[in-house]
Coordinates of all heavy atoms in Angstrom, one line a residue:
M1 N -91.9 53.8 32.6 CA -91.0 54.5 33.5 C -89.5 54.3 33.0 O -89.1 53.4 32.5 CB -91.2 53.7 34.9 CG -90.5 54.4 36.0 SD -90.7 53.5 37.5 CE -89.7 54.4 38.6
K2 N -88.9 55.5 33.2 CA -87.5 55.6 32.9 C -86.6 55.3 34.0 O -86.9 55.7 35.1 CB -87.1 56.9 32.2 CG -88.0 57.3 30.9 CD -87.4 56.7 29.8 CE -88.1 57.2 28.5 NZ -88.1 56.2 27.4
C3 N -85.4 54.9 33.7 CA -84.3 54.7 34.8 C -84.0 56.1 35.4 O -83.9 57.0 34.6 CB -83.1 54.1 34.1 SG -81.7 53.9 35.2
V4 N -83.8 56.1 36.7 CA -83.5 57.3 37.3 C -82.1 58.0 37.0 O -81.9 59.2 37.2 CB -83.6 57.3 39.0 CG1 -85.1 57.0 39.3 CG2 -82.7 56.2 39.5
V5 N -81.3 57.0 36.5 CA -79.9 57.5 36.1 C -79.7 57.8 34.7 O -79.2 58.8 34.3 CB -78.9 56.4 36.6 CG1 -77.4 56.9 36.3 CG2 -79.1 56.1 38.1
C6 N -80.3 56.9 33.9 CA -80.1 57.1 32.4 C -81.5 57.2 31.9 O -82.4 57.4 32.6 CB -79.3 56.0 31.8 SG -80.0 54.4 31.9
S7 N -81.7 57.1 30.6 CA -83.1 57.1 30.2 C -83.6 55.8 29.6 O -84.5 55.8 28.7 CB -83.3 58.3 29.3 OG -82.2 58.3 28.2
R8 N -82.9 54.7 29.9 CA -83.5 53.6 29.5 C -84.7 53.1 30.1 O -85.0 53.7 31.2 CB -82.4 52.4 29.6 CG -81.2 52.6 28.7 CD -80.2 51.4 29.0 NE -78.9 51.8 28.3 CZ -77.9 52.6 28.8 NH1 -78.2 53.3 30.0 NH2 -76.9 52.7 28.1
D9 N -85.5 52.1 29.6 CA -86.6 51.6 30.3 C -86.2 51.0 31.6 O -85.3 50.2 31.7 CB -87.4 50.6 29.5 CG -88.0 51.3 28.3 OD1 -88.4 52.5 28.5 OD2 -88.3 50.6 27.3
A10 N -86.9 51.3 32.7 CA -86.6 51.0 33.9 C -87.6 49.8 34.5 O -88.7 49.7 34.1 CB -86.5 52.0 35.0
G11 N -87.0 49.0 35.4 CA -87.9 47.9 36.0 C -88.0 48.2 37.4 O -88.3 49.4 37.9
E12 N -87.7 47.2 38.2 CA -87.7 47.2 39.7 C -87.0 48.5 40.1 O -85.9 48.8 39.8 CB -87.1 46.0 40.1 CG -87.8 45.2 41.2 CD -86.9 44.1 41.6 OE1 -86.4 43.4 40.8 OE2 -86.7 44.0 42.9
K13 N -87.4 49.1 41.3 CA -86.8 50.2 41.9 C -86.4 51.4 41.0 O -85.7 52.4 41.5 CB -85.5 49.7 42.5 CG -85.9 48.7 43.7 CD -84.4 48.3 44.4 CE -84.8 47.4 45.4 NZ -83.6 47.0 46.3
G14 N -86.9 51.5 39.9 CA -86.6 52.6 39.1 C -85.3 52.7 38.4 O -84.8 53.6 37.8
Y15 N -84.6 51.6 38.3 CA -83.3 51.4 37.6 C -83.6 50.5 36.5 O -84.3 49.5 36.5 CB -82.3 50.8 38.5 CG -81.9 51.6 39.6 CD1 -82.3 51.3 41.0 CD2 -81.1 52.8 39.6 CE1 -82.0 52.1 42.1 CE2 -80.7 53.5 40.6 CZ -81.1 53.1 41.9 OH -80.7 53.9 43.0
C16 N -82.9 50.8 35.4 CA -82.7 49.8 34.2 C -81.9 48.6 34.7 O -81.3 48.6 35.8 CB -82.1 50.5 33.1 SG -80.4 50.9 33.3
E17 N -81.9 47.6 33.9 CA -81.3 46.4 34.3 C -79.7 46.6 34.7 O -79.3 46.1 35.7 CB -81.2 45.4 33.1 CG -81.7 44.0 33.4 CD -81.9 43.2 32.2 OE1 -82.9 43.4 31.6 OE2 -81.0 42.4 31.8
L18 N -79.0 47.3 34.0 CA -77.6 47.7 34.2 C -77.3 48.4 35.5 O -76.5 48.1 36.3 CB -77.0 48.3 33.1 CG -76.9 47.5 31.7 CD1 -76.6 48.5 30.6 CD2 -75.8 46.5 31.9
H19 N -78.2 49.5 35.7 CA -78.1 50.3 36.8 C -78.4 49.5 38.2 O -78.1 49.8 39.2 CB -78.7 51.7 36.7 CG -77.8 52.6 35.9 ND1 -78.2 53.2 34.8 CD2 -76.6 52.9 36.0 CE1 -77.3 53.9 34.2 NE2 -76.3 53.8 35.0
L20 N -79.5 48.7 38.0 CA -80.1 47.9 39.1 C -78.9 47.0 39.6 O -78.7 46.9 40.8 CB -81.2 47.1 38.7 CG -81.9 46.3 39.8 CD1 -82.3 47.1 41.0 CD2 -83.0 45.4 39.4
K21 N -78.1 46.3 38.7 CA -77.0 45.6 39.0 C -76.0 46.2 39.8 O -75.5 45.8 40.8 CB -76.4 44.9 37.7 CG -76.9 43.6 37.4 CD -75.8 42.5 37.2 CE -76.3 41.1 37.4 NZ -77.0 40.7 36.2
A22 N -75.6 47.3 39.3 CA -74.7 48.3 39.9 C -75.2 48.6 41.2 O -74.4 48.5 42.3 CB -74.4 49.4 39.0
Y23 N -76.4 48.9 41.4 CA -77.1 49.4 42.6 C -76.9 48.2 43.7 O -76.5 48.4 44.9 CB -78.5 49.8 42.5 CG -79.2 50.0 43.8 CD1 -79.0 51.3 44.5 CD2 -80.1 49.2 44.3 CE1 -79.5 51.6 45.8 CE2 -80.7 49.4 45.6 CZ -80.4 50.6 46.2 OH -81.0 50.8 47.5
E24 N -77.2 47.0 43.3 CA -77.2 45.8 44.1 C -75.8 45.6 44.6 O -75.6 45.2 45.7 CB -77.8 44.6 43.4 CG -79.3 44.7 43.4 CD -79.9 43.6 42.5 OE1 -79.2 42.9 41.8 OE2 -81.1 43.4 42.5
N25 N -74.8 45.8 43.7 CA -73.5 45.6 44.1 C -73.0 46.6 45.1 O -72.3 46.2 46.0 CB -72.6 45.7 42.9 CG -72.5 44.4 42.1 OD1 -72.6 43.3 42.6 ND2 -72.3 44.5 40.8
I26 N -73.3 47.8 44.9 CA -73.1 48.9 45.8 C -73.5 48.6 47.2 O -72.9 48.6 48.2 CB -73.7 50.3 45.4 CG1 -72.8 50.8 44.2 CG2 -73.7 51.2 46.5 CD1 -73.4 52.0 43.5
V27 N -74.8 48.1 47.3 CA -75.4 47.8 48.6 C -74.7 46.6 49.3 O -74.5 46.5 50.4 CB -77.0 47.5 48.4 CG1 -77.5 46.9 49.7 CG2 -77.6 48.8 48.1
K28 N -74.4 45.6 48.4 CA -73.8 44.4 48.9 C -72.4 44.7 49.4 O -72.0 44.3 50.5 CB -73.7 43.4 47.8 CG -73.6 42.0 48.3 CD -73.7 40.9 47.2 CE -72.6 41.1 46.1 NZ -72.9 40.5 44.9
N29 N -71.6 45.5 48.8 CA -70.3 45.9 49.2 C -70.4 46.7 50.5 O -69.5 46.6 51.3 CB -69.6 46.6 48.2 CG -69.1 45.8 47.0 OD1 -69.1 44.5 47.2 ND2 -68.9 46.4 45.8
Y30 N -71.4 47.6 50.6 CA -71.5 48.4 51.8 C -71.7 47.5 53.0 O -71.1 47.7 54.0 CB -72.7 49.4 51.7 CG -72.8 50.2 52.9 CD1 -71.8 51.0 53.4 CD2 -74.0 50.2 53.5 CE1 -72.0 51.8 54.5 CE2 -74.2 51.1 54.6 CZ -73.2 51.8 55.2 OH -73.3 52.6 56.3
D31 N -72.5 46.4 52.9 CA -72.6 45.5 54.0 C -71.2 45.0 54.5 O -71.0 44.8 55.6 CB -73.5 44.3 53.6 CG -75.0 44.7 53.6 OD1 -75.3 45.7 54.3 OD2 -75.8 44.1 53.0
A32 N -70.4 44.6 53.5 CA -69.2 44.1 53.8 C -68.3 45.2 54.5 O -67.5 44.8 55.4 CB -68.4 43.5 52.5
W33 N -68.2 46.3 54.0 CA -67.5 47.4 54.5 C -67.9 47.8 55.9 O -67.0 47.9 56.8 CB -67.7 48.7 53.6 CG -66.7 48.7 52.4 CD1 -66.7 47.7 51.4 CD2 -65.9 49.6 52.0 NE1 -65.8 48.1 50.5 CE2 -65.3 49.3 50.8 CE3 -65.5 51.0 52.6 CZ2 -64.4 50.1 50.1 CZ3 -64.6 51.7 51.8 CH2 -64.1 51.3 50.7
K34 N -69.1 47.8 56.2 CA -69.8 48.2 57.4 C -69.2 47.4 58.6 O -69.0 47.7 59.7 CB -71.3 48.0 57.4 CG -71.9 49.4 57.4 CD -73.5 49.2 57.6 CE -74.1 47.9 57.1 NZ -75.5 48.0 57.0
K35 N -69.0 46.0 58.2 CA -68.5 45.1 59.3 C -67.1 45.3 59.6 O -66.7 45.2 60.7 CB -68.6 43.7 58.6 CG -70.0 43.2 58.6 CD -70.2 41.7 58.2 CE -71.6 41.3 58.0 NZ -71.8 40.9 56.6
A36 N -66.3 46.0 58.7 CA -64.9 46.3 58.9 C -64.6 47.6 59.4 O -63.7 47.9 60.1 CB -64.1 45.8 57.7
L37 N -65.5 48.6 59.0 CA -65.1 50.0 59.1 C -66.4 50.7 59.7 O -67.5 50.4 59.4 CB -64.7 50.7 57.8 CG -63.5 50.1 57.0 CD1 -63.7 50.7 55.6 CD2 -62.3 50.6 57.6
E38 N -66.0 51.9 60.4 CA -67.1 52.7 60.7 C -67.3 53.7 59.6 O -66.6 54.6 59.4 CB -66.7 53.5 62.1 CG -66.7 52.7 63.3 CD -68.0 52.9 64.0 OE1 -68.6 54.0 64.0 OE2 -68.4 51.9 64.8
I39 N -68.2 53.4 58.8 CA -68.4 54.3 57.7 C -69.9 54.4 57.4 O -70.6 53.4 57.4 CB -67.6 53.6 56.4 CG1 -67.7 54.6 55.2 CG2 -68.2 52.3 56.1 CD1 -66.7 54.2 54.2
S40 N -70.3 55.7 57.1 CA -71.6 55.9 56.9 C -72.0 55.6 55.4 O -71.1 55.5 54.6 CB -72.0 57.4 57.2 OG -71.4 58.2 56.1
W41 N -73.2 55.4 55.1 CA -73.7 55.2 53.7 C -73.1 56.3 52.9 O -72.6 56.0 51.7 CB -75.1 55.2 53.8 CG -75.9 55.0 52.5 CD1 -77.0 55.7 52.0 CD2 -75.8 53.9 51.5 NE1 -77.4 55.3 50.8 CE2 -76.8 54.2 50.5 CE3 -75.0 52.8 51.4 CZ2 -76.9 53.3 49.4 CZ3 -75.2 51.9 50.4 CH2 -76.0 52.2 49.3
K42 N -73.3 57.6 53.2 CA -72.8 58.7 52.5 C -71.3 58.6 52.2 O -70.8 58.9 51.0 CB -73.1 60.0 53.0 CG -74.4 60.6 52.8 CD -74.5 61.4 51.7 CE -75.8 61.7 50.9 NZ -76.6 62.6 51.7
E43 N -70.5 58.4 53.2 CA -69.1 58.4 53.1 C -68.7 57.1 52.2 O -67.8 57.3 51.3 CB -68.4 58.0 54.4 CG -68.3 59.4 55.4 CD -68.1 58.9 56.8 OE1 -68.2 57.7 57.1 OE2 -67.7 59.8 57.5
Y44 N -69.4 56.2 52.3 CA -69.2 54.9 51.5 C -69.4 55.4 50.0 O -68.6 55.0 49.1 CB -70.1 53.8 51.9 CG -70.1 52.7 50.9 CD1 -69.0 51.9 50.7 CD2 -71.2 52.4 50.2 CE1 -69.0 50.9 49.8 CE2 -71.3 51.4 49.3 CZ -70.2 50.7 49.1 OH -70.2 49.7 48.1
L45 N -70.5 56.0 49.8 CA -70.9 56.4 48.4 C -69.8 57.3 47.7 O -69.4 57.2 46.6 CB -72.2 57.0 48.4 CG -73.4 56.1 48.6 CD1 -74.8 56.9 48.7 CD2 -73.5 55.1 47.5
S46 N -69.3 58.3 48.6 CA -68.3 59.1 48.1 C -67.1 58.4 47.8 O -66.4 58.7 46.7 CB -67.9 60.2 49.0 OG -69.0 60.8 49.7
G47 N -66.7 57.3 48.6 CA -65.6 56.5 48.3 C -65.8 55.7 46.9 O -64.8 55.7 46.1
V48 N -67.0 55.3 46.7 CA -67.3 54.6 45.5 C -67.0 55.5 44.3 O -66.4 55.1 43.2 CB -68.8 54.0 45.4 CG1 -69.2 53.6 44.1 CG2 -68.9 53.0 46.5
V49 N -67.5 56.7 44.4 CA -67.4 57.7 43.2 C -65.9 58.1 43.0 O -65.5 58.1 41.8 CB -68.2 58.9 43.6 CG1 -67.9 60.0 42.5 CG2 -69.7 58.7 43.6
K50 N -65.2 58.1 44.1 CA -63.8 58.6 43.9 C -62.8 57.3 43.5 O -61.7 57.6 43.1 CB -63.3 59.1 45.2 CG -63.7 60.5 45.5 CD -63.1 61.1 46.8 CE -64.0 62.2 47.3 NZ -64.1 62.0 48.9
N51 N -63.3 56.1 43.8 CA -62.4 55.0 43.6 C -62.2 54.8 42.0 O -63.1 54.6 41.4 CB -63.1 53.8 44.2 CG -62.1 52.5 44.1 OD1 -61.3 52.5 43.3 ND2 -62.4 51.7 45.0
P52 N -61.1 54.9 41.5 CA -60.8 54.8 40.1 C -61.2 53.4 39.7 O -61.3 53.0 38.4 CB -59.2 55.0 40.0 CG -58.7 54.8 41.3 CD -59.7 55.1 42.3
L53 N -61.3 52.4 40.6 CA -61.7 51.1 40.1 C -63.1 50.8 40.0 O -63.6 49.8 39.5 CB -61.1 50.0 41.1 CG -59.6 50.0 41.3 CD1 -59.2 49.0 42.5 CD2 -58.9 49.6 40.1
T54 N -63.9 51.8 40.5 CA -65.3 51.7 40.3 C -65.8 51.7 38.9 O -65.3 52.6 38.1 CB -66.0 52.8 41.0 OG1 -65.7 52.8 42.4 CG2 -67.5 52.8 40.9
G55 N -66.6 50.9 38.4 CA -67.1 50.9 37.1 C -68.0 52.1 36.8 O -68.5 52.7 37.7
E56 N -68.2 52.3 35.6 CA -69.0 53.5 35.1 C -70.4 53.5 35.7 O -71.0 54.4 36.1 CB -68.9 53.5 33.6 CG -68.7 54.8 32.9 CD -68.0 56.0 33.7 OE1 -66.8 55.8 34.1 OE2 -68.7 56.9 33.9
W57 N -71.0 52.3 35.6 CA -72.4 52.1 36.0 C -72.5 52.4 37.5 O -73.4 53.2 37.9 CB -72.9 50.7 35.7 CG -72.8 50.4 34.3 CD1 -71.9 49.4 33.7 CD2 -73.6 50.8 33.1 NE1 -72.0 49.4 32.3 CE2 -73.2 50.2 32.1 CE3 -74.7 51.6 33.1 CZ2 -73.7 50.4 30.8 CZ3 -75.3 52.0 31.9 CH2 -74.8 51.4 30.8
A58 N -71.6 51.8 38.3 CA -71.8 52.0 39.7 C -71.5 53.5 40.1 O -72.1 53.9 41.0 CB -70.7 51.1 40.4
K59 N -70.6 54.1 39.4 CA -70.3 55.4 39.6 C -71.5 56.3 39.5 O -71.9 57.1 40.3 CB -69.2 55.9 38.7 CG -68.4 57.1 39.3 CD -67.2 57.3 38.5 CE -65.9 56.6 38.9 NZ -64.7 56.9 38.2
E60 N -72.2 56.1 38.4 CA -73.5 56.8 38.1 C -74.5 56.6 39.2 O -75.2 57.6 39.6 CB -74.0 56.4 36.8 CG -73.2 57.0 35.6 CD -73.6 56.4 34.2 OE1 -74.5 55.7 34.2 OE2 -72.9 56.8 33.2
V61 N -74.6 55.4 39.6 CA -75.7 55.1 40.6 C -75.3 55.8 41.9 O -76.1 56.3 42.6 CB -75.7 53.5 40.8 CG1 -76.7 53.3 42.1 CG2 -76.4 52.9 39.6
A62 N -74.0 55.6 42.3 CA -73.5 56.3 43.6 C -73.8 57.8 43.5 O -74.2 58.4 44.5 CB -72.1 56.0 43.8
E63 N -73.4 58.4 42.4 CA -73.7 59.9 42.2 C -75.0 60.3 42.3 O -75.5 61.2 43.1 CB -73.1 60.4 40.8 CG -71.7 60.6 40.9 CD -71.0 60.8 39.5 OE1 -71.8 60.7 38.4 OE2 -69.8 61.1 39.5
Y64 N -75.9 59.5 41.8 CA -77.3 59.6 42.0 C -77.8 59.5 43.4 O -78.6 60.3 43.8 CB -78.1 58.6 41.0 CG -79.6 58.6 41.4 CD1 -80.5 59.6 41.1 CD2 -80.1 57.6 42.2 CE1 -81.8 59.6 41.4 CE2 -81.4 57.5 42.5 CZ -82.2 58.5 42.1 OH -83.6 58.5 42.5
L65 N -77.4 58.5 44.0 CA -77.7 58.4 45.5 C -77.3 59.4 46.4 O -78.1 59.9 47.3 CB -77.1 57.0 46.0 CG -77.8 55.7 45.4 CD1 -77.0 54.5 45.7 CD2 -79.2 55.5 45.8
I66 N -76.1 60.0 46.1 CA -75.6 61.1 46.9 C -76.6 62.3 46.6 O -76.9 63.0 47.5 CB -74.2 61.5 46.5 CG1 -73.2 60.4 47.0 CG2 -73.7 62.7 47.1 CD1 -71.9 60.4 46.3
K67 N -76.8 62.6 45.4 CA -77.6 63.7 44.9 C -79.0 63.6 45.5 O -79.6 64.6 46.0 CB -77.7 63.8 43.4 CG -77.2 65.1 42.8 CD -77.3 65.1 41.4 CE -77.9 64.1 40.7 NZ -77.4 63.8 39.3
S68 N -79.6 62.4 45.5 CA -81.0 62.2 45.9 C -81.1 62.2 47.4 O -82.2 62.3 47.9 CB -81.4 61.1 45.3 OG -81.0 60.0 45.8
G69 N -79.9 62.0 48.1 CA -80.0 62.0 49.5 C -80.6 60.8 50.0 O -81.2 60.8 51.1
D70 N -80.5 59.8 49.3 CA -81.2 58.5 49.6 C -80.6 57.9 50.9 O -79.5 58.0 51.0 CB -81.0 57.6 48.4 CG -81.8 56.3 48.5 OD1 -82.8 56.3 49.3 OD2 -81.6 55.4 47.8
K71 N -81.5 57.5 51.8 CA -81.0 56.8 53.0 C -80.7 55.3 52.5 O -81.1 55.0 51.4 CB -82.1 56.7 54.0 CG -82.6 58.0 54.4 CD -82.0 58.3 55.8 CE -82.4 59.6 56.4 NZ -81.7 60.8 55.7
E72 N -80.0 54.6 53.2 CA -79.6 53.3 53.0 C -80.9 52.5 52.8 O -81.6 52.3 53.8 CB -78.8 52.7 54.0 CG -78.3 51.3 53.6 CD -77.7 50.5 54.8 OE1 -77.5 51.2 55.8 OE2 -77.4 49.4 54.7
S73 N -81.3 52.2 51.6 CA -82.6 51.6 51.3 C -82.4 50.2 51.1 O -82.7 49.7 50.0 CB -83.3 52.4 50.2 OG -82.4 52.4 49.1
V74 N -81.9 49.4 51.9 CA -81.6 48.0 51.8 C -83.0 47.3 52.2 O -83.5 47.5 53.2 CB -80.5 47.5 52.6 CG1 -80.3 46.0 52.4 CG2 -79.2 48.3 52.4
A75 N -83.4 46.5 51.3 CA -84.7 45.8 51.4 C -84.4 44.7 52.4 O -83.4 44.0 52.4 CB -85.2 45.2 50.1
Ligands
ZN1 ZN1 -80.0 53.2 33.9

């Protein structure tokens, strides 16, 4: 199985190791944001993509999540 974002070998959840890390950070940060702001998952993801401080990996994951219309899939 390939990573849904790049074409490296994927493990858990369809992400490679690097993108899985980025994904986990995105979800974790959203939990923190949600407590402070009224922000939807989609709005949050757009913010991640637009933020110049967002790392390349996280940006790719956020773009993928927006495109795929993924619901907040927090385990
Ligand atoms: Zn990847």
Side-chain angles (χ1 to χ4, degrees):
M1 189 178 172
K2 300 278 189 205
C3 173
V4 293
V5 180
C6 61
S7 51
R8 291 177 189 83
D9 285 333
E12 230 188 309
K13 291 186 181 189
Y15 294 105
C16 65
E17 228 174 281
L18 291 163
H19 282 122
L20 180 63
K21 260 239 158 76
Y23 174 76
E24 283 170 348
N25 279 328
I26 286 174
V27 170
K28 204 169 61 194
N29 287 338
Y30 180 54
D31 280 340
W33 277 54
K34 248 188 334 194
K35 287 185 187 120
L37 302 163
E38 285 268 329
I39 187 167
S40 73
W41 176 233
K42 272 271 161 79
E43 284 165 347
Y44 167 71
L45 290 175
S46 314
V48 169
V49 171
K50 284 185 206 136
N51 189 337
L53 299 177
T54 302
E56 227 20 69
W57 301 106
K59 203 172 274 187
E60 285 171 4
V61 171
E63 276 167 357
Y64 164 75
L65 292 170
I66 291 169
K67 237 180 9 207
S68 70
D70 192 18
K71 298 258 181 287
E72 185 190 351
S73 53
V74 182

